[in-house]
Amino acid sequence: MRIALVCYDLSRDGGSERVALNLYQELKKYMEVSLVSLFCSNPDSHLLKRAGGNCHRLKNGNGSFAKDFLKTFRALSLLIKEEKTEIVLSVGINASFYVCLLKKTADVRAVICEHSNLSNILYNTRRQMKKRKIALKWCDRFVTLTEADQREYIRQYPKYKAKISYIYNWIDLDDYRRRRPYNKNSHRILTICRLDRVKGIERSIEAAKYLRAKYPDWTWEVYGMGDENYRKDLEKKIQDNVLPNFYLKGYCSDVVSLLEDAALYICTSYFEGLPISLLEAKALHIPIISFDCKTGPSEIIEDGVNGELIPNGDIPSLVASLDKMMQSQEQREAYSLHAHSNIDKFSKESILKKWMELLDQVKRMSIKE
């Protein structure tokens, strides 16, 4: 079986791009796989360095659908034909139109992977929704990240029910074996995400200002790169609220070491897909507090067992939860102890098996036709 994983821009170093690279690295153990980035806005990308010379970059620079579509599609089409690819998998909706059009012009099957969710009003512009409808109509299989998003897609698009399934992002526990036990004495709060307005870091800052006087020895560190204008807005908000212990730290290559020394992991996103950072925190036994945004946190966190789910946007409840956790070492340890209570459904073995089964089904479809 010969497949191609296509990303819109692997060099963005976000969660979906990390998932694409991880999937590529595992699938290539069992079949012939190509990794393709339609655009490359950051040639110094850490993910591109991890990929080495194994990523086909079709155009350097930021992508413009209006200006670059024809040239980029021709390059993609030529690559697919040269490599005799049978199945093309779009990682994210932005690359889906390219992949679906390939199905119309070449002898390939198309699999579309949703890495946001159907409820995300910050991303779901009219153009994005049109891409989703085309993808659902033209693709052979459509894969969401969560069971909740699968249900929502089926509710809105019942005509395509048979095509829609869900497959979680995986967590490989072998990559996150703790070098030391949970640090019950840590006073360090972590958030790891792409700097993007959908991540709601300003809501973290809003919560932090109510706790700064009571917990002067605690720090809150946000790691990740992204929108520089958003970073500047956040820096101003941190300064305006006089939060000397709230830091925007930028990129970190060693997430495991960061999390190993954390007391709490916090997610204040407006919307998510299935956040890899929450799975990483879970794997390392870190208690999690998250807004119950659509989608993902509620399928990762067992509320009151290994973390707490807060009504989305409810800052007073977030502050109350943080206050309780920061003052109670016992509560933090209890959540840490039960961090793995539902982790099996995110294991690499089970998720990779689902991918292999799905790709085999799609392959057999092409044989039949």
Side-chain angles (χ1 to χ4, degrees), residues 1-231:
M1 188 186 306
R2 178 81 199 191
I3 73 170
L5 300 180
V6 180
C7 301
Y8 190 78
D9 186 349
L10 188 75
S11 72
R12 293 189 306 175
D13 286 351
S16 65
E17 290 78 29
R18 289 166 64 194
V19 168
L21 182 55
N22 290 340
L23 187 59
Y24 162 75
Q25 290 174 332
E26 290 301 321
L27 289 179
K28 71 178 183 179
K29 297 175 182 178
Y30 307 97
M31 61 190 73
E32 294 183 90
V33 186
S34 295
L35 181 63
V36 183
S37 182
L38 299 177
F39 302 98
C40 176
S41 59
N42 177 18
D44 296 322
S45 158
H46 299 278
L47 286 182
L48 285 179
K49 291 175 182 176
R50 277 182 56 198
N54 297 319
C55 179
H56 299 280
R57 292 178 281 180
L58 302 188
K59 182 183 183 301
N60 289 322
N62 290 310
S64 167
F65 186 84
K67 295 179 181 179
D68 301 319
F69 172 74
L70 282 177
K71 185 176 180 180
T72 308
F73 178 74
R74 285 172 184 152
L76 177 62
S77 182
L78 180 62
L79 177 66
I80 295 303
K81 290 177 181 178
E82 284 179 348
E83 297 195 340
K84 298 180 180 179
T85 303
E86 298 167 273
I87 301 172
V88 187
L89 193 153
S90 168
V91 184
I93 292 299
N94 283 334
S96 64
F97 186 73
Y98 294 82
V99 169
C100 285
L101 192 58
L102 276 175
K103 187 186 172 188
K104 296 291 184 179
T105 60
D107 186 21
V108 299
R109 291 296 178 187
V111 177
I112 308 300
C113 304
E114 169 69 273
H115 273 269
S116 179
N117 69 65
L118 199 54
S119 305
N120 188 339
I121 60 174
L122 296 183
Y123 283 173
N124 291 347
T125 62
R126 184 174 297 179
R127 177 179 290 180
Q128 287 293 92
M129 292 306 296
K130 188 172 183 179
K131 287 180 183 177
R132 284 179 167 86
K133 290 179 181 178
I134 291 172
L136 279 164
K137 182 178 180 179
W138 289 1
C139 75
D140 295 289
R141 288 290 186 272
F142 192 95
V143 183
T144 69
L145 279 176
T146 63
E147 188 175 5
D149 205 34
Q150 179 199 32
R151 289 196 300 267
E152 184 61 20
Y153 263 101
I154 291 172
R155 187 187 70 81
Q156 292 196 34
Y157 303 103
K159 180 179 179 180
Y160 305 111
K161 178 179 179 180
K163 293 183 179 183
I164 305 168
S165 58
Y166 77 94
I167 301 179
Y168 289 134
N169 293 330
W170 73 62
I171 192 76
D172 186 352
L173 291 180
D174 288 338
D175 292 338
Y176 297 93
R177 296 297 179 191
R178 296 186 62 83
R179 296 188 285 255
R180 54 184 181 268
Y182 174 67
N183 185 358
K184 63 183 180 181
N185 296 313
S186 173
H187 288 176
R188 191 182 190 194
I189 298 171
L190 284 185
T191 297
I192 302 170
C193 64
R194 184 180 73 257
L195 280 191
D196 189 296
R197 295 183 190 277
V198 76
K199 300 300 182 179
I201 304 303
E202 68 278 4
R203 307 202 288 185
S204 296
I205 295 170
E206 184 71 15
K209 75 180 184 181
Y210 293 105
L211 299 162
R212 63 188 172 193
K214 188 173 180 179
Y215 301 100
D217 58 336
W218 282 69
T219 63
W220 194 328
E221 301 170 13
V222 178
Y223 286 84
M225 306 289 285
D227 185 337
E228 283 303 308
N229 289 328
Y230 184 46
R231 168 182 278 276

Side-chain angles (χ1 to χ4, degrees), residues 39 43 85 166 238 284-285 330:
F39 302 98
T85 303
Y166 77 94
I238 291 168
L284 289 166
H285 297 266
E330 292 77 14

